[in-house]
Amino acid sequence: MSSINSNKKNITILGATGSIGVSTLDVLSRHPNAYNVYALTAHTNVEKLFQQCVAYTPDYAVMVDASCAEQLEAKLKGTVASEVTVLAGTDALETVSSSQDVDYVMAAIVGAAGLLPSLAAANAGKRVLLANKEALVMSGQLFMDAVRDNNAELLPIDSEHNAIFQCMPAQHDLAGVEKILLTGSGGPFRTRDIATLNAVTPEEAVAHPNWDMGQKISVDSATMMNKGLEVIEACWLFDVPHDKIQVVVHPQSTIHSMVSYSDGSVLAQLGHPDMRTPITYSLAWPERIPSGVDQLDFFEVGRLDFEKPNFQRFPCLRLAYEAHQQGGCASIALNAANEIAVAAFLDKKIAFTDIPILIEEVMSKAPSGTPSVLNDILVQDLASREYSELWVQQK
Ligand code: NAD
Ligand code: MG
């Protein structure tokens, strides 16, 4: 029997088995009378999705990999979750994102794989809780148009963008907004001798000082490509030019970002570095409900430090600004090359310092301009991936 209940908000979690997916389920379990888990999706992690199905009994479970879906279905037989409908394939991701039974979609798949289901949620007019920044970097204008044309609600999950959203004027009228101050910790290599960066290991790169996240975003934080992607993300979300966005290195990750106004005021959002705060804010918006995150103790925080970003140490940050200036094709190339480069680095096929070299090379091959239709975006993404793979092979 379906668990759909009209008094509760029905939620699909794309990427349920990941870091954001798990934090989202933690928040939902604190508010069982307000939210109902409609669908959970995962790529290949059968065991984790199985456990989540048993704990949350969604209506649907989607595994992108067909043989994984078969395994999940077999495991669920005879359990409390035996009535969960298991679907397979990428089309099924779009089905559970756009179903008329769904109210909210947590878009927490990592990388370009999240674009189509996130866009499907926007096209279906859902409340989209967007963690999957790569989708917006690839499709900026198209995505924002889909949100506007279909009366979807777009709530940023990325902690910085969630902070900016909270500090922006009501209605997001930009009059009086001087700058967006996008904070970033600087990652694990903020103070490491630049000459030794070529010897960085994957284990060192994924060990973020403040945040506990998936592998890809952890490497992105170490190169500061994460901040670069976030600059592009902020341009689209808040409709501001890139020169209105100042990256501020803030090693404690206590301030999650700020908005600076023409009267000299600066509004900031602060809190522990715990993604349950932006997740809860976006679920309950415009209300506030408990997230499970402790209150901030300023006596414990003690001090807050700030530095200028070092583009020599973090060339990926420079490349992201350049890509956004060049246009949509360059941003797609930047994102695709970065995904391939990070995977190759984690596989120990290329050095940490090869990541920006590969990205710059792939960006230089991207045509100028911005694709206006989805198919052209996908074609550019594929071309950039193929070129990146070739580059890695020839290393
Ligand atoms: P993760 O690696 O922990 O989880 C990724 C999820 O995506 C998993 O559920 C996995 O099954 C799914 N997935 C992976 N490849 C897939 C594919 N090809 N098709 C379908 N599903 C696939 O990642 P994460 O850290 O949770 O990050 C998810 C997204 O949220 C990323 O875009 C990241 O940049 C963004 N984000 C994460 C954090 C964080 O604290 N983890 C903070 C801000 C933004
Ligand atoms: Mg972030």
Side-chain angles (χ1 to χ4, degrees), residues 107-181:
I109 290 174
V110 61
L115 173 59
L116 295 180
S118 305
L119 198 55
N123 279 322
K126 305 302 180 193
R127 176 178 291 198
V128 185
L129 288 73
L130 187 72
N132 179 211
K133 64 191 84 184
E134 297 91 345
L136 202 55
V137 168
M138 292 173 72
S139 71
Q141 191 66 58
L142 189 89
F143 199 97
M144 297 309 288
D145 288 350
V147 168
R148 190 200 53 223
D149 295 347
N150 298 288
N151 292 320
E153 287 176 322
L154 184 56
L155 284 131
I157 294 299
D158 221 336
S159 57
E160 296 77 4
H161 306 74
N162 192 271
I164 296 161
F165 187 91
Q166 295 193 44
C167 297
M168 276 288 193
Q171 317 305 326
H172 286 196
D173 174 4
L174 290 173
V177 172
E178 281 293 310
K179 265 207 182 315
I180 286 176
L181 304 170

Side-chain angles (χ1 to χ4, degrees), residues 120-367:
N123 279 322
K126 305 302 180 193
R127 176 178 291 198
V128 185
L129 288 73
L130 187 72
N132 179 211
K133 64 191 84 184
E134 297 91 345
L136 202 55
V137 168
M138 292 173 72
S139 71
Q141 191 66 58
L142 189 89
F143 199 97
M144 297 309 288
D145 288 350
V147 168
R148 190 200 53 223
D149 295 347
N150 298 288
N151 292 320
E153 287 176 322
L154 184 56
L155 284 131
I157 294 299
D158 221 336
S159 57
E160 296 77 4
H161 306 74
N162 192 271
I164 296 161
F165 187 91
Q166 295 193 44
C167 297
M168 276 288 193
Q171 317 305 326
H172 286 196
D173 174 4
L174 290 173
V177 172
E178 281 293 310
K179 265 207 182 315
I180 286 176
L181 304 170
L182 187 71
T183 55
S185 69
F189 308 134
R190 182 176 59 87
T191 56
R192 179 169 165 146
D193 178 3
I194 294 186
T196 69
L197 286 177
N198 61 344
V200 159
T201 65
E203 293 71 30
E204 289 172 322
V206 298
H208 195 280
N210 305 337
W211 296 94
D212 181 11
M213 310 181 285
Q215 283 206 318
K216 192 252 175 189
I217 184 176
S218 296
V219 177
D220 285 349
S221 298
T223 60
M224 279 195 88
M225 177 56 90
N226 184 48
K227 215 44 57 185
L229 296 174
E230 289 182 357
V231 169
I232 301 175
E233 184 185 10
C235 289
W236 288 118
L237 281 173
F238 303 109
D239 195 20
V240 294
H242 65 272
D243 57 6
K244 270 211 173 204
I245 299 175
Q246 169 72 60
V247 172
V248 178
V249 175
H250 165 47
Q252 291 92 354
S253 299
T254 300
I255 296 179
H256 300 313
S257 278
M258 304 177 262
V259 178
S260 178
Y261 287 89
S262 53
D263 62 4
S265 301
V266 179
L267 301 191
Q269 187 263 355
L270 291 77
H272 288 290
D274 186 323
M275 290 306 292
R276 290 178 300 174
T277 296
I279 290 167
T280 306
Y281 177 86
S282 302
L283 282 167
W285 180 82
E287 290 168 20
R288 302 256 183 189
I289 58 172
S291 65
V293 178
D294 290 340
Q295 299 295 301
L296 199 59
D297 178 344
F298 277 86
F299 303 114
E300 211 175 279
V301 171
R303 57 182 280 178
L304 301 174
D305 295 299
F306 306 98
E307 294 167 12
K308 277 191 181 160
N310 180 339
F311 285 81
Q312 226 192 327
R313 177 182 290 282
F314 299 114
C316 286
L317 189 53
R318 168 181 60 81
L319 290 171
Y321 271 102
E322 285 174 13
H324 189 62
Q325 270 172 283
Q326 274 178 45
C329 287
S331 296
I332 296 165
L334 171 99
N335 180 66
N338 182 55
E339 285 190 28
I340 302 294
V342 169
F345 165 69
L346 288 170
D347 270 0
K348 302 191 172 165
K349 289 181 183 154
I350 64 171
F352 184 74
T353 42
D354 285 332
I355 296 173
I357 298 173
L358 165 56
I359 296 167
E360 191 153 24
E361 171 68 17
V362 177
M363 268 173 65
S364 75
K365 295 284 183 287

